[in-house]
Amino acid sequence: MKIDRLIGILSILLQKEITTAPELAEHFEVSRRTINRDIETLSQAGIPIQTTQGVGGGISIMSGYRMDRTILTSRDMQMILAGLRSLDSVSGSGYYGQLMEKIQAGSSEFLSGRDSILIDLSSWYKDTLSPKIALIQDAIELGKRLKFNYFSPKGDSKREIEPYYLIFKWASWYVYGYCLLRKDFRLFKLNRMDEIVLGTDFEKRSEIPAPSISNEEVFPEKGRVKAIFDPSMKWHLVEEYGTTSFKEQPDGTLLFEHEYSDDEGLIAWILSCRDKVTVLEPQSVREKLYEITSDIAHKYEEVEKKHGKQSTGRNRHSK
């Protein structure tokens, strides 16, 4: 729509010192003539746009101009507040709350009705998570290294990193930075970090690779699991993997097939389903599950024997 394109052009002009009609035409996939008409429309609306010819020329907004907040619609303001409110849910300070008050106080005429989107990024670990987020934000802004203890499936270690990004993904918070131990960029899960302290200053690297946070890159496929689930577990499969992850069989059971990234994660998930699932493939996972459940059964048999004898002894003594 034209209004969306006009707002898009204005946004680009406010962010860049200068651009050109061909660049805008390519970006919005329209002709240069259309861009010229759009620029004329913006000028008629009172936006101080200037154009210069020759080498280094182009389209720009006069220096010192600031966008009036009235260009934002009520829905725009609601989305901004929803984003701020989500950050406030994990903030250890009142910064985001104060920022929301400023926006709401100066934009009351744009905000009508009740909030339609509520996002809570906090977790069971909010009391420990919020201070970590605040400390990491300080480290990124001040250009200071972070030192911490890290607990992972591969073992415990002491790490020191140059932090660059805080990331919320897969219902968890991560910090992305250059690890001095591994000599490479890494993601670290905040819940696995302990005793975090600020380190020395560091000079930010000129080239920072984008964090690899897609499911495929972080959790590469190792194999495909095939299992039969009890009908009562349908909600569980839908919640975890969606409605296309299984097929209902004539007897009501659910044939589940899906890729998985590691044996340990898959086995932990299967065990959480108790006796409501039977793994068909792969054979290696079936054997591991049999070994684990056999060990658990043996352990409790020993406990039962021990406690049974103690109980019998107490009963005899009481007589």
Side-chain angles (χ1 to χ4, degrees):
M1 294 176 63
K2 182 177 180 179
I3 186 62
D4 294 330
R5 190 173 65 251
L6 290 173
I7 293 175
I9 292 173
L10 182 56
S11 177
I12 290 175
L13 293 174
L14 287 167
Q15 295 177 56
K16 299 177 66 175
E17 289 187 7
I18 193 167
T19 187
T20 65
E23 288 175 349
L24 292 173
E26 182 179 357
H27 180 84
F28 293 101
E29 298 181 347
V30 294
S31 67
R32 290 180 59 180
R33 180 175 297 179
T34 298
I35 293 298
N36 290 334
R37 285 199 297 266
D38 289 341
I39 295 299
E40 184 178 349
T41 300
L42 289 172
S43 296
Q44 292 174 352
I47 308 297
I49 295 177
Q50 59 185 10
T51 59
T52 53
Q53 305 297 323
V55 179
I59 306 167
S60 62
I61 289 183
M62 291 179 62
S63 177
Y65 176 76
R66 292 293 180 270
M67 182 177 66
D68 191 311
R69 57 181 170 76
T70 57
I71 197 170
L72 297 174
T73 65
S74 175
R75 187 174 184 181
D76 293 337
M77 296 301 299
Q78 292 287 3
M79 294 302 102
I80 291 172
L81 289 172
L84 290 173
R85 196 175 294 110
S86 68
L87 292 173
D88 192 54
S89 66
V90 291
S91 173
S93 68
Y95 174 75
Y96 294 106
Q98 294 170 8
L99 186 54
M100 282 188 287
E101 289 178 3
K102 290 180 182 178
I103 293 177
Q104 287 174 316
S107 308
S108 57
E109 67 270 30
F110 296 102
L111 301 175
S112 60
R114 302 178 63 180
D115 299 324
S116 58
I117 296 180
L118 298 175
I119 305 171
D120 190 343
L121 299 181
S122 61
S123 69
W124 296 111
Y125 308 97
K126 182 177 180 179
D127 290 343
T128 57
L129 188 62
S130 295
K132 290 180 181 179
I133 291 176
L135 184 62
I136 293 171
Q137 283 180 311
D138 288 342
I140 293 173
E141 292 174 6
L142 298 173
K144 289 186 174 293
R145 291 174 175 170
L146 285 173
K147 295 181 179 180
F148 53 90
N149 296 329
Y150 196 64
F151 304 88
S152 74
K154 296 181 180 179
D156 309 343
S157 60
K158 292 186 178 296
R159 299 296 183 100
E160 184 173 4
I161 67 169
E162 299 170 357
Y164 288 98
Y165 296 106
L166 259 173
I167 301 170
F168 182 78
K169 180 77 173 180
W170 313 298
S172 297
W173 284 90
Y174 299 79
V175 58
Y176 177 75
Y178 184 83
C179 177
L180 275 65
L181 178 65
R182 302 303 183 197
K183 306 297 181 185
D184 198 2
F185 286 87
R186 290 285 192 275
L187 273 176
F188 296 92
K189 196 172 186 177
L190 266 61
N191 283 344
R192 296 178 181 173
M193 299 167 63
D194 188 40
E195 297 185 9
I196 308 173
V197 295
L198 295 178
T200 57
D201 296 345
F202 70 93
E203 186 175 343
K204 294 189 177 181
R205 298 169 185 270
S206 57
E207 294 186 9
I208 306 170
S212 300
I213 57 176
S214 69
N215 292 349
E216 293 75 17
E217 292 176 318
V218 178
F219 303 117
E221 294 180 9
K222 179 179 180 178
R224 190 171 182 84
V225 61
K226 188 175 181 179
I228 295 292
F229 279 82
D230 187 85
S232 63
M233 297 298 287
K234 181 182 290 187
W235 67 270
H236 191 62
L237 296 179
V238 171
E239 181 178 322
E240 293 286 339
Y241 295 99
T243 56
T244 60
S245 64
F246 61 88
K247 293 180 180 179
E248 194 163 346
Q249 304 300 293
D251 61 355
T253 58
L254 310 172
L255 177 61
F256 171 80
E257 293 188 68
H258 208 277
E259 291 75 21
Y260 69 97
S261 58
D262 69 283
D263 287 352
E264 293 302 318
L266 173 63
I267 289 171
W269 181 65
I270 291 294
L271 289 172
S272 72
C273 299
R274 307 184 306 283
D275 61 340
K276 304 296 184 182
V277 56
T278 301
V279 174
L280 304 178
E281 298 174 5
Q283 181 67 25
S284 59
V285 171
R286 284 172 56 90
E287 292 173 353
K288 187 64 176 178
L289 283 167
Y290 180 79
E291 179 184 336
I292 291 173
T293 52
S294 296
D295 289 343
I296 292 174
H298 178 71
K299 179 181 292 185
Y300 279 96
E301 285 172 0
E302 293 297 316
V303 170
E304 196 63 30
K305 287 178 183 179
K306 181 179 178 180
H307 282 251
K309 288 180 180 179
Q310 291 177 348
S311 177
T312 303
R314 283 196 298 270
N315 291 337
R316 185 167 53 246
H317 181 72
S318 63
K319 292 179 181 179

